[in-house]
Amino acid sequence: MSISSRFAVGIHILTLIDFNKEGTSSSEFLASSVNTNPAVIRKLMGMLKKAGLIEVHPGIAGAKLAKDLSQITLFDVYKAVNVVQEKELFSVHDNPNPKCPVGRNIQNTIEPLFEAAQLAMEKVLGSLTLEDVVKDIASKENMNC
């Protein structure tokens, strides 16, 4: 199991909006870069708008970032697209055998470990910004020119 691709696509959308700030970032344009259906992009853009990360206006094609690149963390994107709920990144199997010492204790033993791992991951995402992503992509593109 992996984290929903909505997270990666959300980062992709925001990054492309910044790269294309002189042009129109319509859902069709964004979908062509992600290689998906524009309806998927519109749904995610709605989530990003609700989180205050982008501005879109009805009847006007395109979107723009609502904040500076350095103010949008990857954790903001992660939360905006509803990747997982708090303390629910890892699932624990239901109904282990209570007659077995491992089955009786496994959930209480591993749940705190899973919570700590999720918090650590979220802390890392909170320390990275969209600016970091944009700069990395820009440096890779400059190397290829």
Side-chain angles (χ1 to χ4, degrees), residues 54-82:
I54 62 170
E55 295 176 3
V56 293
H57 302 285
I60 301 173
K64 67 178 188 173
L65 298 180
K67 298 178 179 182
D68 187 68
L69 288 175
S70 63
Q71 295 177 320
I72 301 173
T73 68
L74 297 189
F75 184 68
D76 294 332
V77 181
Y78 173 85
K79 293 300 259 188
V81 296
N82 300 317

Short mmCIF file of all heavy atoms in Angstrom, two decimals, residues 54-82:
data_model
loop_
_atom_site.label_atom_id
_atom_site.label_comp_id
_atom_site.label_asym_id
_atom_site.label_seq_id
_atom_site.Cartn_x
_atom_site.Cartn_y
_atom_site.Cartn_z
N ILE A 54 -4.21 27.84 -3.83
CA ILE A 54 -4.34 28.42 -5.17
C ILE A 54 -5.57 29.32 -5.22
O ILE A 54 -6.47 29.21 -4.39
CB ILE A 54 -4.43 27.36 -6.29
CG1 ILE A 54 -5.68 26.48 -6.13
CG2 ILE A 54 -3.16 26.55 -6.39
CD1 ILE A 54 -5.95 25.58 -7.33
N GLU A 55 -5.58 30.17 -6.22
CA GLU A 55 -6.74 31.01 -6.52
C GLU A 55 -7.25 30.62 -7.90
O GLU A 55 -6.48 30.54 -8.85
CB GLU A 55 -6.34 32.49 -6.54
CG GLU A 55 -5.89 33.02 -5.19
CD GLU A 55 -5.43 34.47 -5.27
OE1 GLU A 55 -5.51 35.09 -6.35
OE2 GLU A 55 -4.96 34.96 -4.24
N VAL A 56 -8.53 30.33 -7.96
CA VAL A 56 -9.20 30.08 -9.24
C VAL A 56 -10.48 30.90 -9.24
O VAL A 56 -11.05 31.17 -8.19
CB VAL A 56 -9.51 28.59 -9.46
CG1 VAL A 56 -8.25 27.77 -9.62
CG2 VAL A 56 -10.35 28.01 -8.34
N HIS A 57 -10.88 31.31 -10.42
CA HIS A 57 -12.09 32.12 -10.54
C HIS A 57 -13.03 31.48 -11.55
O HIS A 57 -12.61 31.17 -12.67
CB HIS A 57 -11.71 33.55 -10.97
CG HIS A 57 -10.77 34.21 -10.00
ND1 HIS A 57 -11.18 34.69 -8.78
CD2 HIS A 57 -9.43 34.42 -10.06
CE1 HIS A 57 -10.14 35.19 -8.14
NE2 HIS A 57 -9.06 35.03 -8.90
N PRO A 58 -14.29 31.29 -11.17
CA PRO A 58 -15.26 30.66 -12.06
C PRO A 58 -15.35 31.40 -13.40
O PRO A 58 -15.35 32.62 -13.44
CB PRO A 58 -16.58 30.77 -11.30
CG PRO A 58 -16.21 30.96 -9.88
CD PRO A 58 -14.89 31.67 -9.90
N GLY A 59 -15.38 30.63 -14.47
CA GLY A 59 -15.51 31.21 -15.80
C GLY A 59 -14.22 31.73 -16.39
O GLY A 59 -14.18 32.16 -17.53
N ILE A 60 -13.15 31.70 -15.62
CA ILE A 60 -11.85 32.17 -16.11
C ILE A 60 -10.89 31.00 -16.04
O ILE A 60 -10.64 30.44 -14.97
CB ILE A 60 -11.31 33.35 -15.25
CG1 ILE A 60 -12.29 34.52 -15.27
CG2 ILE A 60 -9.94 33.78 -15.76
CD1 ILE A 60 -11.92 35.64 -14.31
N ALA A 61 -10.36 30.62 -17.20
CA ALA A 61 -9.43 29.49 -17.24
C ALA A 61 -8.14 29.84 -16.52
O ALA A 61 -7.64 30.95 -16.62
CB ALA A 61 -9.13 29.11 -18.68
N GLY A 62 -7.65 28.89 -15.77
CA GLY A 62 -6.35 29.06 -15.13
C GLY A 62 -6.42 29.21 -13.63
O GLY A 62 -7.48 29.32 -13.04
N ALA A 63 -5.26 29.17 -13.05
CA ALA A 63 -5.11 29.28 -11.60
C ALA A 63 -3.78 29.94 -11.31
O ALA A 63 -2.89 29.98 -12.16
CB ALA A 63 -5.14 27.89 -10.97
N LYS A 64 -3.67 30.48 -10.11
CA LYS A 64 -2.38 31.01 -9.67
C LYS A 64 -2.20 30.66 -8.21
O LYS A 64 -3.16 30.38 -7.48
CB LYS A 64 -2.28 32.52 -9.90
CG LYS A 64 -3.20 33.36 -9.07
CD LYS A 64 -2.95 34.83 -9.36
CE LYS A 64 -3.73 35.70 -8.39
NZ LYS A 64 -3.40 37.11 -8.52
N LEU A 65 -0.95 30.65 -7.79
CA LEU A 65 -0.65 30.33 -6.40
C LEU A 65 -1.18 31.44 -5.51
O LEU A 65 -1.06 32.62 -5.83
CB LEU A 65 0.85 30.15 -6.19
CG LEU A 65 1.52 29.02 -6.97
CD1 LEU A 65 3.01 28.98 -6.65
CD2 LEU A 65 0.87 27.68 -6.68
N ALA A 66 -1.75 31.06 -4.38
CA ALA A 66 -2.30 32.04 -3.44
C ALA A 66 -1.25 32.51 -2.44
O ALA A 66 -1.47 33.48 -1.73
CB ALA A 66 -3.49 31.44 -2.70
N LYS A 67 -0.12 31.82 -2.40
CA LYS A 67 0.97 32.15 -1.48
C LYS A 67 2.28 32.09 -2.23
O LYS A 67 2.37 31.48 -3.30
CB LYS A 67 1.02 31.15 -0.32
CG LYS A 67 -0.20 31.08 0.55
CD LYS A 67 0.00 30.02 1.62
CE LYS A 67 -1.20 29.93 2.54
NZ LYS A 67 -0.97 28.93 3.60
N ASP A 68 3.29 32.66 -1.64
CA ASP A 68 4.63 32.56 -2.19
C ASP A 68 5.10 31.11 -2.10
O ASP A 68 4.72 30.38 -1.16
CB ASP A 68 5.58 33.49 -1.40
CG ASP A 68 6.94 33.57 -2.04
OD1 ASP A 68 7.03 34.14 -3.14
OD2 ASP A 68 7.90 33.04 -1.43
N LEU A 69 5.93 30.69 -3.04
CA LEU A 69 6.47 29.33 -3.03
C LEU A 69 7.08 28.93 -1.70
O LEU A 69 6.93 27.80 -1.25
CB LEU A 69 7.57 29.20 -4.10
CG LEU A 69 7.16 29.20 -5.55
CD1 LEU A 69 8.41 29.20 -6.43
CD2 LEU A 69 6.29 28.01 -5.86
N SER A 70 7.77 29.87 -1.07
CA SER A 70 8.45 29.57 0.18
C SER A 70 7.48 29.41 1.35
O SER A 70 7.87 28.94 2.41
CB SER A 70 9.48 30.65 0.51
OG SER A 70 8.82 31.89 0.72
N GLN A 71 6.23 29.77 1.15
CA GLN A 71 5.23 29.67 2.22
C GLN A 71 4.35 28.43 2.10
O GLN A 71 3.52 28.19 2.95
CB GLN A 71 4.34 30.91 2.22
CG GLN A 71 5.07 32.18 2.56
CD GLN A 71 4.16 33.39 2.48
OE1 GLN A 71 3.32 33.49 1.58
NE2 GLN A 71 4.31 34.30 3.41
N ILE A 72 4.53 27.66 1.04
CA ILE A 72 3.74 26.44 0.85
C ILE A 72 4.63 25.24 1.14
O ILE A 72 5.58 24.96 0.38
CB ILE A 72 3.18 26.35 -0.59
CG1 ILE A 72 2.29 27.56 -0.89
CG2 ILE A 72 2.40 25.04 -0.77
CD1 ILE A 72 1.83 27.64 -2.34
N THR A 73 4.35 24.55 2.23
CA THR A 73 5.14 23.37 2.56
C THR A 73 4.52 22.14 1.90
O THR A 73 3.34 22.14 1.54
CB THR A 73 5.22 23.13 4.08
OG1 THR A 73 3.92 22.76 4.57
CG2 THR A 73 5.75 24.36 4.82
N LEU A 74 5.32 21.11 1.77
CA LEU A 74 4.79 19.86 1.24
C LEU A 74 3.76 19.27 2.21
O LEU A 74 2.83 18.60 1.78
CB LEU A 74 5.92 18.87 0.96
CG LEU A 74 6.93 19.30 -0.10
CD1 LEU A 74 7.87 18.15 -0.45
CD2 LEU A 74 6.26 19.85 -1.34
N PHE A 75 3.89 19.59 3.49
CA PHE A 75 2.89 19.15 4.45
C PHE A 75 1.55 19.84 4.18
O PHE A 75 0.49 19.22 4.31
CB PHE A 75 3.36 19.43 5.89
CG PHE A 75 2.41 18.91 6.94
CD1 PHE A 75 2.22 17.56 7.12
CD2 PHE A 75 1.69 19.79 7.74
CE1 PHE A 75 1.34 17.07 8.08
CE2 PHE A 75 0.82 19.32 8.70
CZ PHE A 75 0.63 17.96 8.88
N ASP A 76 1.58 21.11 3.76
CA ASP A 76 0.35 21.82 3.38
C ASP A 76 -0.36 21.08 2.25
O ASP A 76 -1.59 20.92 2.27
CB ASP A 76 0.65 23.25 2.93
CG ASP A 76 1.19 24.13 4.03
OD1 ASP A 76 0.88 23.91 5.22
OD2 ASP A 76 1.94 25.08 3.70
N VAL A 77 0.42 20.66 1.27
CA VAL A 77 -0.17 19.95 0.12
C VAL A 77 -0.71 18.60 0.57
O VAL A 77 -1.82 18.20 0.22
CB VAL A 77 0.87 19.76 -1.00
CG1 VAL A 77 0.26 19.05 -2.21
CG2 VAL A 77 1.47 21.10 -1.42
N TYR A 78 0.06 17.90 1.37
CA TYR A 78 -0.32 16.59 1.91
C TYR A 78 -1.66 16.67 2.63
O TYR A 78 -2.56 15.87 2.40
CB TYR A 78 0.81 16.17 2.85
CG TYR A 78 0.63 14.94 3.70
CD1 TYR A 78 0.93 13.68 3.18
CD2 TYR A 78 0.26 15.04 5.04
CE1 TYR A 78 0.83 12.55 3.98
CE2 TYR A 78 0.17 13.91 5.83
CZ TYR A 78 0.45 12.67 5.30
OH TYR A 78 0.35 11.56 6.09
N LYS A 79 -1.81 17.69 3.46
CA LYS A 79 -3.07 17.87 4.18
C LYS A 79 -4.20 18.32 3.25
O LYS A 79 -5.35 17.89 3.41
CB LYS A 79 -2.91 18.89 5.32
CG LYS A 79 -2.00 18.43 6.44
CD LYS A 79 -2.48 17.18 7.11
CE LYS A 79 -3.17 17.49 8.39
NZ LYS A 79 -3.51 16.31 9.17
N ALA A 80 -3.88 19.18 2.29
CA ALA A 80 -4.90 19.74 1.40
C ALA A 80 -5.61 18.67 0.58
O ALA A 80 -6.82 18.76 0.34
CB ALA A 80 -4.28 20.78 0.47
N VAL A 81 -4.87 17.68 0.14
CA VAL A 81 -5.46 16.68 -0.74
C VAL A 81 -5.94 15.44 0.02
O VAL A 81 -6.22 14.39 -0.57
CB VAL A 81 -4.50 16.28 -1.89
CG1 VAL A 81 -4.23 17.47 -2.79
CG2 VAL A 81 -3.22 15.67 -1.38
N ASN A 82 -6.06 15.57 1.33
CA ASN A 82 -6.63 14.52 2.17
C ASN A 82 -5.98 13.17 1.96
O ASN A 82 -6.65 12.17 1.74
CB ASN A 82 -8.13 14.40 1.94
CG ASN A 82 -8.87 15.67 2.26
OD1 ASN A 82 -8.61 16.30 3.26
ND2 ASN A 82 -9.79 16.05 1.39
#
